[in-house]
Amino acid sequence: MPTPTDRVRNAERSRIRVMFDLAQRHDGDLVRLEVGEPDFDTPGHVIDAAASAARDGATHYTSNAGLPACRRAISDTLAGEYGVEHDPDEVVVTVGGMEALHLAVLATVSPGEELLVPGPTWPNYETQATLADGTLREVPMPAETGFALDADRVIDAMSDDTAAVVLTTPSNPTGRVFDPDACRAVVEAAADRDAYVIADEVYLGLTYDGPTEGIAAYTGHPDHVLTVGSCSKAYAMTGWRLGWLAGDRHLIDEVTTVRESTTACASSVAQHAAIAALTGPQEPFEEMYRAFRERRDLVVDRVDAVDGLSCPRPEGAFYAFLDPGIDAPALDIAKYLLEEHGVVLAPGDGFGDTAPGRLRLSFANSVDRIEEGFDRIEAGLAEY
Ligand SMILES: Cc1ncc(COP(=O)(O)O)c(C=O)c1O
């Protein structure tokens, strides 16, 4: 019988799934605050556009890089909303931000090389590094500054083996938005070594405090920055699987060739949905944005009100990275909160090794459920 290669065998199953699976098996009333996707459905005008495109024959392969109109819509959105200037032919439409990241890592990390990531970090980068026969190196960011990007730490960790650095801003799991000067310093140091920065900006449209410039917009080395974006979060379109990778033309051409043998292209129907989302009425998305911001404010108030509980202020995305102020493994606390109090959070060890004692709370849920969730967390932590 054929056996899996190390590349496949070594891919770790996300530890975030542990709580998800436990919650699926539980039959009581649970407040699900571990989920990393908007609770909103895709707005109607997007669905209508996709349905009529399909009816009109958009049911075929598109070119590998995507429909010209979709690449144009992404290029215009990058420039108009985030100040990132790329011609449409420097954009490839991907199957979610995940494929964009996968392609970016494949294109930049050679076998034996390192992908550096400030921790705490979203776990999928590790598998992506493994699939490129490289390794992930997590560089812990200091808890005292709420896991703000410490450029010196990242730069000190760079070596001849460093092929790329991932900067995720706003961050999953902390909700932090990285300081532009710190990002610029990392990009400059990477460019000096001829390494890349992969800017994972899938949450950039959900930035609550301050401007939303993409990293490539304000660094002096845009050729060394690969920008990853997605319709998933800000447009409530996780299931459509539609994202993008934008950057240096040669690299984009190369990854476009590679993806011919994996996905070939993003779904034609989803590309039409993306065109409608990016170029059509923005009010439904603005409404969701305002709802997320209000929930963020609520979360900050509720965290402040619980003795011993704290978190860095979520400046973007929909996550709060809670410090429960209890000296116990976060997985134990998370299981206890689920089983005894009916509230589900993701333990910090699902996000690298930097902050295993934390719990990630997702506020992609209604105000009522968030309030109920906090009542349960408060009661649970008081009893623990
Ligand atoms: C930090 C981060 N990057 C990228 C993604 C990819 O999202 P998608 O493939 O749905 O665009 C996610 C999804 O949870 C994420 O949290």
Side-chain angles (χ1 to χ4, degrees), residues 233-253:
K233 315 289 180 171
Y235 299 90
M237 290 176 62
T238 48
W240 298 83
R241 310 307 303 126
L242 203 291
W244 53 85
L245 178 67
D248 174 71
R249 185 163 320 189
H250 298 296
L251 220 130
I252 294 299
D253 284 348

Side-chain angles (χ1 to χ4, degrees), residues 36 95-98 101 122 125 168 172 200 202-203 230 232-233 238 241 319:
V95 181
M98 296 209 202
L101 286 163
W122 188 56
Y125 307 128
T168 313
N172 175 7
D200 183 348
V202 301
Y203 294 100
S230 174
S232 284
K233 315 289 180 171
T238 48
R241 310 307 303 126
Y319 305 113

